[in-house]
Amino acid sequence: MTTTHEPGERKVVTFSLGHQMFGIDMSALIEIREWEEPTPLPGVAPYIKGVTNLRGTVVPVVGLAERIGWPASEIHSRSCILVVNIGGKHCGFLVDEVADIVLIKQEDVQPAPEVEIGENVISGLVQISARTTDGAPPAGGTMVSLLDLATLSLTRPMEAAA
C-alpha cells in the first residue's frame, strides 16, 4: 500500500525515551531491529554500546538517552534499535519503544526553544493527535521533539566504532 502526501508534509517515526516522545524523519530510517546485545568496544564514548552486524556491515549502537545526556535506558521487551543513515553512515540508536509513523505538516512544526544547553539536538516540536480505535475524535495529543540527526552525528565516535 502506498500513500502520497502533499508538499510540506513528511513522515516521522515516533518513539519513546523515558516518558518523552521523539521523532525522526522516516527518510533517514533504514530499519527497526529488535534489541540484541552489541559487541562492546574498548576506548569509545560511554554512550556507544558497541557494534552489531547489519547484513555484513558493522554498525555502531548508541544509547540515545545517554547521547542526549539522560540516564541510560533500561532494556526491556519493547526496547529496539533504530538503524538510521546520517550523512551516508549507518548508526543504530537504542530507544525504549517505537510508537508510530505519523504524517506531519511542516507548518505545524514549532522551532525548538532557545535555551542554554551544550548542543541542541532538537530541530523542532510538533503536537500530534492520539489515535483512537473507536472512531471518536482524539482527545488532546502528544508533544513530539523532532531530532536533528545531523547534530547527533557521531562522525568521530562512529569512525572509532566502525
Side-chain angles (χ1 to χ4, degrees):
M1 176 173 111
T2 60
T3 58
T4 59
H5 49 275
E6 301 295 320
E9 290 182 331
R10 61 185 173 145
K11 286 185 179 179
V12 172
V13 178
T14 60
F15 56 90
S16 63
L17 280 179
H19 298 290
Q20 175 71 33
M21 291 295 291
F22 289 90
I24 60 168
D25 201 282
M26 180 78 175
S27 64
L29 183 68
I30 296 169
E31 76 177 61
I32 300 169
R33 298 183 67 143
E34 286 185 31
W35 171 255
E36 60 182 49
E37 195 67 38
T39 302
L41 295 174
V44 295
Y47 53 81
I48 297 179
K49 302 294 186 187
V51 293
T52 191
N53 187 328
L54 176 66
R55 294 182 293 282
T57 302
V58 175
V59 177
V61 177
V62 173
L64 186 55
E66 294 161 279
R67 172 66 177 96
I68 64 174
W70 289 3
S73 294
E74 291 191 28
I75 305 301
H76 54 82
S77 63
R78 304 281 298 171
S79 296
C80 58
I81 300 171
L82 298 179
V83 180
V84 298
N85 181 341
I86 303 175
K89 296 183 184 275
H90 294 170
C91 180
F93 288 121
L94 167 62
V95 301
D96 291 343
E97 183 176 350
V98 172
D100 204 354
I101 297 172
V102 297
L103 191 62
I104 62 169
K105 295 180 182 174
Q106 193 57 41
E107 64 199 42
D108 293 339
V109 177
Q110 301 297 312
E114 293 185 25
V115 293
E116 290 187 34
I117 55 176
E119 60 181 338
N120 193 1
V121 297
I122 305 300
S123 65
L125 301 161
V126 65
Q127 186 85 13
I128 60 168
S129 299
R131 290 190 182 194
T132 59
T133 56
D134 60 3
T142 302
M143 183 66 70
V144 175
S145 299
L146 302 174
L147 290 176
D148 180 353
L149 291 178
T151 301
L152 277 174
S153 176
L154 307 169
T155 303
R156 275 181 249 117
M158 280 176 63
E159 287 173 356

mmCIF file with all atom_site columns, all heavy atoms in Angstrom, residues 33 36 51-59:
data_model
loop_
_atom_site.group_PDB
_atom_site.id
_atom_site.type_symbol
_atom_site.label_atom_id
_atom_site.label_alt_id
_atom_site.label_comp_id
_atom_site.label_asym_id
_atom_site.label_entity_id
_atom_site.label_seq_id
_atom_site.pdbx_PDB_ins_code
_atom_site.Cartn_x
_atom_site.Cartn_y
_atom_site.Cartn_z
_atom_site.occupancy
_atom_site.B_iso_or_equiv
_atom_site.pdbx_formal_charge
_atom_site.auth_seq_id
_atom_site.auth_comp_id
_atom_site.auth_asym_id
_atom_site.auth_atom_id
_atom_site.pdbx_PDB_model_num
ATOM 1  N N   . ARG A 1 33 ? 15.165 -2.741 14.449 1.00 0.00 ? 33 ARG A N   1
ATOM 2  C CA  . ARG A 1 33 ? 15.624 -4.071 14.853 1.00 0.00 ? 33 ARG A CA  1
ATOM 3  C C   . ARG A 1 33 ? 15.271 -4.340 16.304 1.00 0.00 ? 33 ARG A C   1
ATOM 4  O O   . ARG A 1 33 ? 15.308 -3.437 17.126 1.00 0.00 ? 33 ARG A O   1
ATOM 5  C CB  . ARG A 1 33 ? 17.147 -4.170 14.724 1.00 0.00 ? 33 ARG A CB  1
ATOM 6  C CG  . ARG A 1 33 ? 17.659 -3.989 13.314 1.00 0.00 ? 33 ARG A CG  1
ATOM 7  C CD  . ARG A 1 33 ? 19.134 -4.165 13.299 1.00 0.00 ? 33 ARG A CD  1
ATOM 8  N NE  . ARG A 1 33 ? 19.454 -5.559 13.620 1.00 0.00 ? 33 ARG A NE  1
ATOM 9  C CZ  . ARG A 1 33 ? 20.440 -6.234 13.062 1.00 0.00 ? 33 ARG A CZ  1
ATOM 10 N NH1 . ARG A 1 33 ? 21.221 -5.655 12.199 1.00 0.00 ? 33 ARG A NH1 1
ATOM 11 N NH2 . ARG A 1 33 ? 20.676 -7.472 13.395 1.00 0.00 ? 33 ARG A NH2 1
ATOM 12 N N   . GLU A 1 36 ? 19.351 -6.540 20.550 1.00 0.00 ? 36 GLU A N   1
ATOM 13 C CA  . GLU A 1 36 ? 20.282 -7.633 20.782 1.00 0.00 ? 36 GLU A CA  1
ATOM 14 C C   . GLU A 1 36 ? 21.549 -6.991 21.323 1.00 0.00 ? 36 GLU A C   1
ATOM 15 O O   . GLU A 1 36 ? 21.929 -5.895 20.917 1.00 0.00 ? 36 GLU A O   1
ATOM 16 C CB  . GLU A 1 36 ? 20.562 -8.429 19.509 1.00 0.00 ? 36 GLU A CB  1
ATOM 17 C CG  . GLU A 1 36 ? 21.173 -7.616 18.387 1.00 0.00 ? 36 GLU A CG  1
ATOM 18 C CD  . GLU A 1 36 ? 21.379 -8.433 17.119 1.00 0.00 ? 36 GLU A CD  1
ATOM 19 O OE1 . GLU A 1 36 ? 20.444 -9.109 16.691 1.00 0.00 ? 36 GLU A OE1 1
ATOM 20 O OE2 . GLU A 1 36 ? 22.493 -8.370 16.574 1.00 0.00 ? 36 GLU A OE2 1
ATOM 21 N N   . VAL A 1 51 ? 28.998 -2.567 18.794 1.00 0.00 ? 51 VAL A N   1
ATOM 22 C CA  . VAL A 1 51 ? 28.684 -2.675 17.374 1.00 0.00 ? 51 VAL A CA  1
ATOM 23 C C   . VAL A 1 51 ? 27.855 -3.927 17.128 1.00 0.00 ? 51 VAL A C   1
ATOM 24 O O   . VAL A 1 51 ? 27.884 -4.872 17.915 1.00 0.00 ? 51 VAL A O   1
ATOM 25 C CB  . VAL A 1 51 ? 29.968 -2.712 16.503 1.00 0.00 ? 51 VAL A CB  1
ATOM 26 C CG1 . VAL A 1 51 ? 30.701 -1.391 16.559 1.00 0.00 ? 51 VAL A CG1 1
ATOM 27 C CG2 . VAL A 1 51 ? 30.881 -3.856 16.904 1.00 0.00 ? 51 VAL A CG2 1
ATOM 28 N N   . THR A 1 52 ? 27.121 -3.892 16.024 1.00 0.00 ? 52 THR A N   1
ATOM 29 C CA  . THR A 1 52 ? 26.351 -5.051 15.600 1.00 0.00 ? 52 THR A CA  1
ATOM 30 C C   . THR A 1 52 ? 26.534 -5.212 14.101 1.00 0.00 ? 52 THR A C   1
ATOM 31 O O   . THR A 1 52 ? 27.006 -4.302 13.420 1.00 0.00 ? 52 THR A O   1
ATOM 32 C CB  . THR A 1 52 ? 24.855 -4.899 15.978 1.00 0.00 ? 52 THR A CB  1
ATOM 33 O OG1 . THR A 1 52 ? 24.184 -6.140 15.781 1.00 0.00 ? 52 THR A OG1 1
ATOM 34 C CG2 . THR A 1 52 ? 24.171 -3.812 15.168 1.00 0.00 ? 52 THR A CG2 1
ATOM 35 N N   . ASN A 1 53 ? 26.164 -6.375 13.586 1.00 0.00 ? 53 ASN A N   1
ATOM 36 C CA  . ASN A 1 53 ? 26.311 -6.670 12.169 1.00 0.00 ? 53 ASN A CA  1
ATOM 37 C C   . ASN A 1 53 ? 24.968 -6.491 11.483 1.00 0.00 ? 53 ASN A C   1
ATOM 38 O O   . ASN A 1 53 ? 23.990 -7.131 11.850 1.00 0.00 ? 53 ASN A O   1
ATOM 39 C CB  . ASN A 1 53 ? 26.816 -8.106 11.994 1.00 0.00 ? 53 ASN A CB  1
ATOM 40 C CG  . ASN A 1 53 ? 27.160 -8.421 10.561 1.00 0.00 ? 53 ASN A CG  1
ATOM 41 O OD1 . ASN A 1 53 ? 26.569 -7.919 9.621  1.00 0.00 ? 53 ASN A OD1 1
ATOM 42 N ND2 . ASN A 1 53 ? 28.147 -9.292 10.394 1.00 0.00 ? 53 ASN A ND2 1
ATOM 43 N N   . LEU A 1 54 ? 24.929 -5.624 10.482 1.00 0.00 ? 54 LEU A N   1
ATOM 44 C CA  . LEU A 1 54 ? 23.719 -5.397 9.697  1.00 0.00 ? 54 LEU A CA  1
ATOM 45 C C   . LEU A 1 54 ? 24.010 -5.845 8.272  1.00 0.00 ? 54 LEU A C   1
ATOM 46 O O   . LEU A 1 54 ? 24.626 -5.119 7.496  1.00 0.00 ? 54 LEU A O   1
ATOM 47 C CB  . LEU A 1 54 ? 23.320 -3.921 9.730  1.00 0.00 ? 54 LEU A CB  1
ATOM 48 C CG  . LEU A 1 54 ? 22.125 -3.520 8.865  1.00 0.00 ? 54 LEU A CG  1
ATOM 49 C CD1 . LEU A 1 54 ? 20.849 -4.185 9.384  1.00 0.00 ? 54 LEU A CD1 1
ATOM 50 C CD2 . LEU A 1 54 ? 21.964 -2.015 8.836  1.00 0.00 ? 54 LEU A CD2 1
ATOM 51 N N   . ARG A 1 55 ? 23.650 -7.086 7.964  1.00 0.00 ? 55 ARG A N   1
ATOM 52 C CA  . ARG A 1 55 ? 23.857 -7.655 6.635  1.00 0.00 ? 55 ARG A CA  1
ATOM 53 C C   . ARG A 1 55 ? 25.278 -7.421 6.123  1.00 0.00 ? 55 ARG A C   1
ATOM 54 O O   . ARG A 1 55 ? 25.495 -6.913 5.031  1.00 0.00 ? 55 ARG A O   1
ATOM 55 C CB  . ARG A 1 55 ? 22.815 -7.109 5.653  1.00 0.00 ? 55 ARG A CB  1
ATOM 56 C CG  . ARG A 1 55 ? 21.399 -7.560 5.974  1.00 0.00 ? 55 ARG A CG  1
ATOM 57 C CD  . ARG A 1 55 ? 20.380 -7.057 4.980  1.00 0.00 ? 55 ARG A CD  1
ATOM 58 N NE  . ARG A 1 55 ? 20.184 -5.620 4.989  1.00 0.00 ? 55 ARG A NE  1
ATOM 59 C CZ  . ARG A 1 55 ? 19.466 -4.932 5.892  1.00 0.00 ? 55 ARG A CZ  1
ATOM 60 N NH1 . ARG A 1 55 ? 18.891 -5.588 6.879  1.00 0.00 ? 55 ARG A NH1 1
ATOM 61 N NH2 . ARG A 1 55 ? 19.319 -3.638 5.805  1.00 0.00 ? 55 ARG A NH2 1
ATOM 62 N N   . GLY A 1 56 ? 26.250 -7.744 6.966  1.00 0.00 ? 56 GLY A N   1
ATOM 63 C CA  . GLY A 1 56 ? 27.642 -7.653 6.568  1.00 0.00 ? 56 GLY A CA  1
ATOM 64 C C   . GLY A 1 56 ? 28.311 -6.313 6.840  1.00 0.00 ? 56 GLY A C   1
ATOM 65 O O   . GLY A 1 56 ? 29.495 -6.155 6.589  1.00 0.00 ? 56 GLY A O   1
ATOM 66 N N   . THR A 1 57 ? 27.574 -5.351 7.348  1.00 0.00 ? 57 THR A N   1
ATOM 67 C CA  . THR A 1 57 ? 28.132 -4.033 7.672  1.00 0.00 ? 57 THR A CA  1
ATOM 68 C C   . THR A 1 57 ? 28.159 -3.863 9.182  1.00 0.00 ? 57 THR A C   1
ATOM 69 O O   . THR A 1 57 ? 27.161 -4.126 9.854  1.00 0.00 ? 57 THR A O   1
ATOM 70 C CB  . THR A 1 57 ? 27.274 -2.903 7.049  1.00 0.00 ? 57 THR A CB  1
ATOM 71 O OG1 . THR A 1 57 ? 27.222 -3.090 5.638  1.00 0.00 ? 57 THR A OG1 1
ATOM 72 C CG2 . THR A 1 57 ? 27.840 -1.540 7.362  1.00 0.00 ? 57 THR A CG2 1
ATOM 73 N N   . VAL A 1 58 ? 29.298 -3.424 9.712  1.00 0.00 ? 58 VAL A N   1
ATOM 74 C CA  . VAL A 1 58 ? 29.421 -3.172 11.143 1.00 0.00 ? 58 VAL A CA  1
ATOM 75 C C   . VAL A 1 58 ? 28.774 -1.820 11.442 1.00 0.00 ? 58 VAL A C   1
ATOM 76 O O   . VAL A 1 58 ? 29.112 -0.815 10.829 1.00 0.00 ? 58 VAL A O   1
ATOM 77 C CB  . VAL A 1 58 ? 30.896 -3.175 11.575 1.00 0.00 ? 58 VAL A CB  1
ATOM 78 C CG1 . VAL A 1 58 ? 31.031 -2.796 13.040 1.00 0.00 ? 58 VAL A CG1 1
ATOM 79 C CG2 . VAL A 1 58 ? 31.514 -4.543 11.311 1.00 0.00 ? 58 VAL A CG2 1
ATOM 80 N N   . VAL A 1 59 ? 27.818 -1.828 12.371 1.00 0.00 ? 59 VAL A N   1
ATOM 81 C CA  . VAL A 1 59 ? 27.058 -0.628 12.713 1.00 0.00 ? 59 VAL A CA  1
ATOM 82 C C   . VAL A 1 59 ? 27.226 -0.336 14.197 1.00 0.00 ? 59 VAL A C   1
ATOM 83 O O   . VAL A 1 59 ? 26.967 -1.206 15.028 1.00 0.00 ? 59 VAL A O   1
ATOM 84 C CB  . VAL A 1 59 ? 25.553 -0.813 12.382 1.00 0.00 ? 59 VAL A CB  1
ATOM 85 C CG1 . VAL A 1 59 ? 24.734 0.383  12.803 1.00 0.00 ? 59 VAL A CG1 1
ATOM 86 C CG2 . VAL A 1 59 ? 25.365 -1.102 10.898 1.00 0.00 ? 59 VAL A CG2 1
#
